[in-house]
Amino acid sequence: MAKTNPGRFFEDYKLGQVIAHAVPRTLSGGERALYHALYPARHALYSSDDFARACGLPAAPLDDMIAFHTVFGKTVPDVSLNAVANLGYAEGRFLMPVYPGDTLRSESEVIGLKQNSNGKSGVVYVRTRGLNQRAEVVLEYMRWVMVRKRDPEAAAPDTVIPALADVVDPGDLMIPPGLDFSGYDFTLAGEPHRWGDYEPGETIDHVDGVTIEEAEHMIATRLWQNTAKVHFDATFRPDGQRLIYGGHVISMARALSFNGLANAQMIVGLNGGAHANPCFSGDTVKAWSEVLDKAETDAPGVGAIRLRLVAVKGDAEPFALKGTDGKYSPDVLLDLDYWALMPR
Amino acid sequence: MAKTNPGRFFEDYKLGQVIAHAVPRTLSGGERALYHALYPARHALYSSDDFARACGLPAAPLDDMIAFHTVFGKTVPDVSLNAVANLGYAEGRFLMPVYPGDTLRSESEVIGLKQNSNGKSGVVYVRTRGLNQRAEVVLEYMRWVMVRKRDPEAAAPDTVIPALADVVDPGDLMIPPGLDFSGYDFTLAGEPHRWGDYEPGETIDHVDGVTIEEAEHMIATRLWQNTAKVHFDATFRPDGQRLIYGGHVISMARALSFNGLANAQMIVGLNGGAHANPCFSGDTVKAWSEVLDKAETDAPGVGAIRLRLVAVKGDAEPFALKGTDGKYSPDVLLDLDYWALMPR
Amino acid sequence: MAKTNPGRFFEDYKLGQVIAHAVPRTLSGGERALYHALYPARHALYSSDDFARACGLPAAPLDDMIAFHTVFGKTVPDVSLNAVANLGYAEGRFLMPVYPGDTLRSESEVIGLKQNSNGKSGVVYVRTRGLNQRAEVVLEYMRWVMVRKRDPEAAAPDTVIPALADVVDPGDLMIPPGLDFSGYDFTLAGEPHRWGDYEPGETIDHVDGVTIEEAEHMIATRLWQNTAKVHFDATFRPDGQRLIYGGHVISMARALSFNGLANAQMIVGLNGGAHANPCFSGDTVKAWSEVLDKAETDAPGVGAIRLRLVAVKGDAEPFALKGTDGKYSPDVLLDLDYWALMPR
């Protein structure tokens, strides 16, 4: 067993350490077809080369979450194999669209460490970057996870907790060069609602639901080369259930949000996210959104909108997020906070 | 909920109205790979670029039903979201092959309206066209659906029932320019039977069966961006079953018909079709065909054959279609009438 | 039923007969995306064009088992439709990498025949070759299957049993022209272990497990146009179970073996293989390997390693293969013997 990867334990991480993650991946139209078959993804900019060209891009990029999952998946063997919990995301920015033919790899820098008071585990903060074949950063985000110690007696590192912004400043969002929504075709995009039609505080029930299947979440999770065994091996958990990769819920909810947010085309910022409760096969996932903020941009016809995207399961009433105790309701699966670009 | 799509109701359709459907889609080899993974599709012209070139085409087109499903899927949010029933198809013609790299969009014209006598619903007739990135029509068909009224008190429109042909006249079938079956390789195609070997009245039991899975029909249906919730949400129907998209049954039966009709290569006409009974996960689908007619064409070595394709479930005896009461047997899922091109 | 394929029976095979199998197939990035979604495949040479170029190849080839399954699938209607058992493989060699855009077809030559003493069936030995669009042989292997007779009274052919090597001589392995592992990036590949770190006799438990789903094995098997009904029709076997294509287990085990053998990049030889026990949906598949041999090659930085790859199900202890009676343990699904290329 000496040659298999045991994963890193808390004491294996050092502040400033940069981990180059393995297995670069060339993406093609195949990944897009699969993504659109696994999720009801319909944002026109990512579906049609012609629509994308009319918006100033060279072709339809791959869905932003394809880039995210590909970059994230590569970090799993190095960051989360011995993770007890995925605690949070912050300061995520999508810096450059990813196109079929691009090759992505990932690297993570350790930016914070804090041993837990029980001495058995600690929190590791990383800044993960996805790079393309030209070594351009296409995506970066901060993430923190709780990781077990190999040896509870190992000395604790100095505690360093990075200062992380609650929200990406809209001035820091990257707008793809050339993006121009001034001639945006609302009919082909599927809905008439523009940036000016949404107001902070507004909530949208996306109505549709999808019942989750084992085969689908495993196909999706493997596609990103995410190999955490809890997603694939029904004998791993005592209850015989395979835990569904949180990113599967993110993509399902984002795709469902088309119905009411068809024009929230490009994801450019990831302010934060919590996988509030686990998701299992058989759950029926629905989604609702809340407009949190809006900002102007310099690109022609392009506005930024900050959205809360909530995935729930079963018969959960929309718009209920937390109980009076401040805890997420048991039906809430995901609470995601992101910036998207919309035609003004 | 104001921003989500409630779908059109009967009184929202006006005669002559043209609806441009949303979300154009660029197709790639990814869609073909998925199609061939979801159905046992093996028609050589659609599997091999070399085989297609030897038949005078520039490359292997995407399977005709990929084009059909893509065009059809786009109409769902506008035509069938509030449909009670999909009543029929007629005058379908495949006008131009679709290749990887093509971008398809759809539009439908309302060509007929008839309110039902109960005043609660009506029948809408549409002519749907699929267009490629050069605005060429690749496919057109008539379809009629029963749609609920929003307001039972709304006035009935004038009744207009379009005259629809029972069968596409073989002289109206479009043969792709350059198609030449005079050097057709029957060995590589998989069967020796040519156009002259089939006679009207002949029936063929395609023998093989496939048991349907939830994950597969949902993956297929999403791939066409068909989002009707009845296919995806197990909590939507009182019986907890997801209704399978009728097009999934069409594609399964067509692929199964390879065994006995391997040389019925190109679908060029859709004369009619009925989804006789619903299909659910766990059903085992089998298929049989009946030769209805034959016609010559001007293309070298190319004949047209008119086929009835019947999908059944379970242990249904082949060749039984309707009972003495004229109704479809409960085991019949699909009764499709189409024209295909075959080597002479 | 006269037009459907009844398959060949034992008395239909003649020594020296060459069968050209039907339905050539053009492969694309779509097949690769699906392969990586169905199996946890992560070998860097097959995942990244850049990694492959750094190793002297023009781009990332399709996974070797994609080529194998595609070639194998085409033989099913001609070789194994009436097979009682798949008895063995030998002398398999991967002669040329297969790239997206290549079109594969298959042909098999009958190289041996032996009627069984009961007169009801016989063993057919074939040499199968996969050819690309330039008629270059990309792959060849010997295989023998037990096939039913149509007529038990038919005369037995002369018995000819071909002499098959137990192991492909390492001098006969084809190294792709230009392959150069002298600048191999072990970090991007995922593990530091090189050819010199493995010793004959060494065993590796690949640790991870995957629970098999019906939808997944059917999607995979159809992708290779393998249409044996036992894999698809739940009503075919008396027990209502769909037998999983043995190649699905091979690909699953090979992909799982990444964990410990990430640098066993290219499969170049297939010495033998046995599908020891059937695999069904719900089984959790794990894998272990044993190093059987090593050989040097002339290519810069490239060594050959001979590996036994064993797939097991359930809670099987690793490294147990056969009982004291010499029979495979009931938990063993696959025992495969192959040559791979590794950086030295």
Side-chain angles (χ1 to χ4, degrees), chain C:
Chain C
M1 276 188 280
K3 287 196 170 74
T4 56
N5 175 21
R8 279 177 172 78
F9 292 86
F10 180 67
E11 59 265 47
D12 298 328
Y13 296 93
K14 307 295 167 199
L15 196 72
Q17 181 183 17
V18 175
I19 304 169
H21 305 298
V23 194
R25 171 71 163 270
T26 304
L27 298 163
S28 79
E31 277 78 8
R32 174 153 51 199
L34 262 167
Y35 192 84
H36 289 218
L38 291 165
Y39 309 107
R42 288 183 290 156
H43 287 90
L45 195 69
Y46 299 85
S47 178
S48 163
D49 284 343
D50 286 358
F51 191 95
R53 283 186 201 115
C55 295
L57 300 182
L62 295 173
D63 295 77
D64 303 305
M65 294 310 297
I66 293 181
F68 178 82
H69 295 314
T70 302
V71 169
F72 182 96
K74 304 195 176 323
T75 70
V76 168
D78 295 313
V79 175
S80 37
L81 214 59
N82 298 308
V84 184
N86 193 34
L87 298 173
Y89 304 100
E91 297 188 9
R93 294 191 306 152
F94 294 76
L95 300 168
M96 186 172 293
V98 174
Y99 294 95
D102 281 355
T103 299
L104 298 189
R105 60 187 173 87
S106 306
E107 59 180 40
S108 295
E109 180 182 349
V110 179
I111 58 168
L113 291 168
K114 178 183 177 298
Q115 182 165 313
N116 287 331
S117 54
N118 65 12
K120 293 183 181 166
S121 57
V123 178
V124 180
Y125 296 79
V126 295
R127 173 194 293 115
T128 294
R129 288 196 166 109
L131 298 98
N132 67 15
Q133 67 278 17
R134 293 180 298 272
E136 297 162 334
V137 181
V138 300
L139 169 66
E140 73 168 19
Y141 61 89
M142 316 300 152
R143 178 185 175 213
W144 53 108
V145 293
M146 191 184 302
V147 180
R148 279 196 297 273
K149 290 178 73 175
R150 182 189 294 105
D151 171 15
E153 306 302 315
D158 291 339
T159 293
V160 175
I161 299 178
L164 297 176
D166 287 340
V167 182
V168 177
D169 187 281
D172 291 335
L173 300 174
M174 283 294 293
I175 315 293
L179 189 72
D180 182 347
F181 283 163
S182 55
Y184 190 90
D185 188 329
F186 289 86
T187 299
L188 283 183
E191 289 184 351
H193 323 302
R194 53 181 74 227
W195 184 80
D197 297 329
Y198 292 87
E199 289 306 324
E202 179 176 355
T203 53
I204 302 158
D205 176 4
H206 301 301
V207 180
D208 302 311
V210 174
T211 306
I212 302 285
E213 294 292 317
E214 300 282 16
E216 291 185 348
H217 78 81
M218 293 201 299
I219 286 173
T221 307
R222 275 191 218 103
L223 189 57
W224 321 123
Q225 300 178 315
N226 176 339
T227 60
K229 67 185 68 172
V230 72
H231 306 315
F232 300 104
D233 182 346
T235 67
F236 185 69
R237 285 167 53 105
D239 65 2
Q241 288 195 289
R242 281 164 270 186
L243 182 68
I244 289 173
Y245 165 47
H248 191 60
V249 178
I250 294 177
S251 280
M252 191 62 82
R254 159 70 176 164
L256 288 171
S257 79
F258 178 92
N259 197 349
L261 283 167
N263 296 320
Q265 292 280 358
M266 305 194 86
I267 299 179
V268 286
L270 187 61
N271 301 309
H275 300 291
N277 285 288
C279 181
F280 298 106
S281 175
D283 287 347
T284 295
V285 174
K286 298 183 178 182
W288 58 267
S289 293
E290 178 183 356
V291 180
L292 296 177
D293 200 359
K294 292 168 64 176
E296 304 199 350
T297 82
D298 292 336
V302 179
I305 186 166
R306 184 181 160 207
L307 295 159
R308 176 197 295 277
L309 173 62
V310 177
V312 296
K313 64 177 174 179
D315 297 326
E317 287 293 302
F319 314 133
L321 190 64
K322 295 181 179 178
T324 50
D325 57 1
K327 292 185 180 168
Y328 283 109
S329 304
D331 288 338
V332 172
L333 301 173
L334 171 76
D335 179 15
L336 194 78
D337 180 340
Y338 71 104
W339 282 106
L341 300 181
M342 231 182 190
R344 298 184 64 172

Side-chain angles (χ1 to χ4, degrees), chain A residues 274 276-277 308 321-323 325-332 334-335:
Chain A
N277 285 289
R308 176 197 294 277
L321 191 63
K322 296 181 177 178
D325 57 359
K327 292 186 180 167
Y328 283 110
S329 303
D331 288 338
V332 172
L334 172 76
D335 179 14

Side-chain angles (χ1 to χ4, degrees), chain A:
Chain A
M1 275 188 281
K3 286 196 171 75
T4 56
N5 176 21
R8 279 178 172 77
F9 292 86
F10 180 67
E11 59 265 47
D12 298 328
Y13 296 93
K14 307 295 168 198
L15 197 71
Q17 181 184 16
V18 176
I19 304 168
H21 305 299
V23 194
R25 170 70 163 269
T26 304
L27 298 163
S28 80
E31 277 77 8
R32 173 152 53 198
L34 262 167
Y35 192 84
H36 288 219
L38 292 166
Y39 308 108
R42 288 184 288 156
H43 287 91
L45 195 69
Y46 299 85
S47 179
S48 163
D49 284 342
D50 287 357
F51 190 97
R53 283 186 201 115
C55 295
L57 299 182
L62 296 172
D63 296 77
D64 303 305
M65 294 310 297
I66 293 181
F68 178 82
H69 294 314
T70 303
V71 169
F72 182 97
K74 303 195 177 323
T75 70
V76 168
D78 295 313
V79 175
S80 37
L81 215 59
N82 298 308
V84 183
N86 192 34
L87 298 173
Y89 305 100
E91 297 188 8
R93 294 191 307 151
F94 294 75
L95 300 167
M96 187 171 291
V98 175
Y99 294 96
D102 281 355
T103 300
L104 299 189
R105 60 188 173 88
S106 307
E107 59 180 40
S108 297
E109 181 181 349
V110 179
I111 58 168
L113 290 168
K114 180 183 175 298
Q115 181 164 314
N116 287 331
S117 54
N118 66 11
K120 294 182 181 166
S121 58
V123 178
V124 180
Y125 297 78
V126 294
R127 174 194 293 115
T128 295
R129 289 193 166 110
L131 299 99
N132 66 17
Q133 67 277 16
R134 294 179 298 272
E136 298 161 334
V137 181
V138 299
L139 169 67
E140 73 168 20
Y141 61 89
M142 316 298 152
R143 178 185 174 212
W144 53 109
V145 293
M146 190 183 302
V147 180
R148 278 196 297 274
K149 289 177 75 175
R150 183 188 294 106
D151 172 14
E153 305 302 317
D158 291 340
T159 292
V160 175
I161 298 178
L164 296 175
D166 287 341
V167 182
V168 177
D169 187 280
D172 290 336
L173 299 174
M174 283 294 293
I175 315 293
L179 189 71
D180 182 347
F181 282 162
S182 54
Y184 189 90
D185 187 329
F186 288 86
T187 299
L188 282 184
E191 289 184 352
H193 322 301
R194 51 181 76 228
W195 183 80
D197 296 330
Y198 293 87
E199 289 307 322
E202 180 176 354
T203 53
I204 302 158
D205 177 4
H206 301 300
V207 180
D208 303 310
V210 174
T211 306
I212 303 285
E213 295 292 319
E214 299 282 16
E216 291 185 347
H217 78 81
M218 293 201 298
I219 285 173
T221 306
R222 274 190 220 105
L223 189 56
W224 321 123
Q225 300 179 315
N226 176 340
T227 61
K229 67 185 68 172
V230 72
H231 306 315
F232 300 104
D233 182 346
T235 68
F236 186 69
R237 285 167 53 105
D239 65 3
Q241 288 194 289
R242 280 164 271 187
L243 183 67
I244 289 173
Y245 165 47
H248 190 61
V249 178
I250 293 178
S251 280
M252 191 62 81
R254 159 70 176 164
L256 288 170
S257 78
F258 177 92
N259 196 350
L261 283 167
N263 297 320
Q265 292 280 357
M266 306 195 86
I267 299 179
V268 286
L270 187 61
N271 301 309
H275 299 292
N277 285 289
C279 181
F280 299 104
S281 175
D283 287 347
T284 296
V285 174
K286 297 183 179 182
W288 57 267
S289 292
E290 178 183 356
V291 180
L292 296 177
D293 200 359
K294 291 168 64 177
E296 305 198 350
T297 83
D298 291 336
V302 179
I305 186 167
R306 185 182 160 207
L307 295 158
R308 176 197 294 277
L309 173 63
V310 177
V312 297
K313 64 177 174 178
D315 297 326
E317 287 293 303
F319 314 134
L321 191 63
K322 296 181 177 178
T324 50
D325 57 359
K327 292 186 180 167
Y328 283 110
S329 303
D331 288 338
V332 172
L333 301 173
L334 172 76
D335 179 14
L336 195 78
D337 179 341
Y338 71 103
W339 282 106
L341 300 181
M342 230 181 191
R344 297 184 64 174

Side-chain angles (χ1 to χ4, degrees), chain B:
Chain B
M1 275 190 280
K3 286 197 171 75
T4 56
N5 176 21
R8 280 177 171 76
F9 292 87
F10 180 67
E11 59 264 48
D12 298 328
Y13 295 93
K14 307 296 168 197
L15 197 72
Q17 181 183 16
V18 176
I19 304 169
H21 305 298
V23 194
R25 170 69 163 271
T26 304
L27 297 162
S28 80
E31 277 77 7
R32 173 151 52 198
L34 262 166
Y35 192 84
H36 289 218
L38 291 165
Y39 309 108
R42 288 183 289 157
H43 287 90
L45 195 68
Y46 298 86
S47 178
S48 162
D49 284 343
D50 286 358
F51 191 96
R53 283 186 200 115
C55 294
L57 300 183
L62 295 172
D63 295 77
D64 304 304
M65 294 310 297
I66 292 181
F68 178 82
H69 294 315
T70 303
V71 169
F72 182 97
K74 303 195 177 323
T75 70
V76 168
D78 294 313
V79 174
S80 39
L81 215 60
N82 297 309
V84 184
N86 192 35
L87 298 173
Y89 304 100
E91 297 187 9
R93 294 191 307 151
F94 293 76
L95 300 167
M96 187 172 290
V98 174
Y99 294 96
D102 282 355
T103 300
L104 298 189
R105 61 188 172 87
S106 306
E107 59 181 39
S108 297
E109 180 181 349
V110 179
I111 57 168
L113 290 168
K114 178 183 177 299
Q115 181 164 314
N116 287 331
S117 53
N118 66 11
K120 294 184 180 164
S121 58
V123 178
V124 180
Y125 297 78
V126 295
R127 174 193 293 115
T128 294
R129 288 196 166 108
L131 299 99
N132 67 16
Q133 67 278 16
R134 294 178 298 272
E136 297 161 334
V137 180
V138 300
L139 169 66
E140 74 168 19
Y141 62 88
M142 316 299 152
R143 179 185 175 213
W144 53 109
V145 293
M146 190 183 302
V147 180
R148 278 196 298 272
K149 291 177 74 176
R150 182 189 294 104
D151 171 13
E153 305 302 317
D158 292 339
T159 293
V160 174
I161 299 178
L164 296 175
D166 287 341
V167 182
V168 177
D169 187 280
D172 291 335
L173 299 174
M174 284 293 293
I175 315 294
L179 189 71
D180 182 347
F181 283 162
S182 54
Y184 189 90
D185 188 328
F186 289 86
T187 300
L188 282 183
E191 290 184 350
H193 323 302
R194 52 181 75 227
W195 183 81
D197 297 329
Y198 292 87
E199 288 307 322
E202 180 176 354
T203 52
I204 301 158
D205 177 3
H206 300 301
V207 179
D208 302 310
V210 174
T211 306
I212 303 285
E213 294 292 317
E214 299 283 16
E216 291 185 348
H217 78 81
M218 294 201 298
I219 286 172
T221 307
R222 274 190 219 105
L223 189 56
W224 322 123
Q225 300 178 316
N226 176 339
T227 61
K229 67 184 69 170
V230 71
H231 307 314
F232 300 104
D233 182 346
T235 67
F236 185 68
R237 284 167 54 106
D239 65 2
Q241 288 194 287
R242 280 164 272 187
L243 182 68
I244 288 173
Y245 165 48
H248 190 61
V249 178
I250 294 178
S251 280
M252 191 62 81
R254 159 71 175 164
L256 289 171
S257 78
F258 178 92
N259 196 351
L261 283 167
N263 296 319
Q265 291 281 356
M266 305 195 88
I267 299 179
V268 286
L270 188 61
N271 301 308
H275 299 291
N277 285 289
C279 181
F280 298 105
S281 175
D283 287 347
T284 296
V285 175
K286 298 184 179 184
W288 57 266
S289 292
E290 178 183 357
V291 180
L292 297 177
D293 200 0
K294 291 168 63 176
E296 304 197 352
T297 82
D298 292 335
V302 179
I305 186 167
R306 184 181 160 208
L307 295 159
R308 176 197 295 278
L309 173 62
V310 177
V312 298
K313 64 177 174 179
D315 296 327
E317 287 293 302
F319 314 134
L321 191 64
K322 294 181 180 178
T324 51
D325 57 359
K327 292 186 179 167
Y328 283 109
S329 304
D331 287 338
V332 171
L333 300 173
L334 171 76
D335 179 14
L336 194 78
D337 179 341
Y338 70 104
W339 282 106
L341 300 181
M342 228 180 193
R344 298 184 62 176

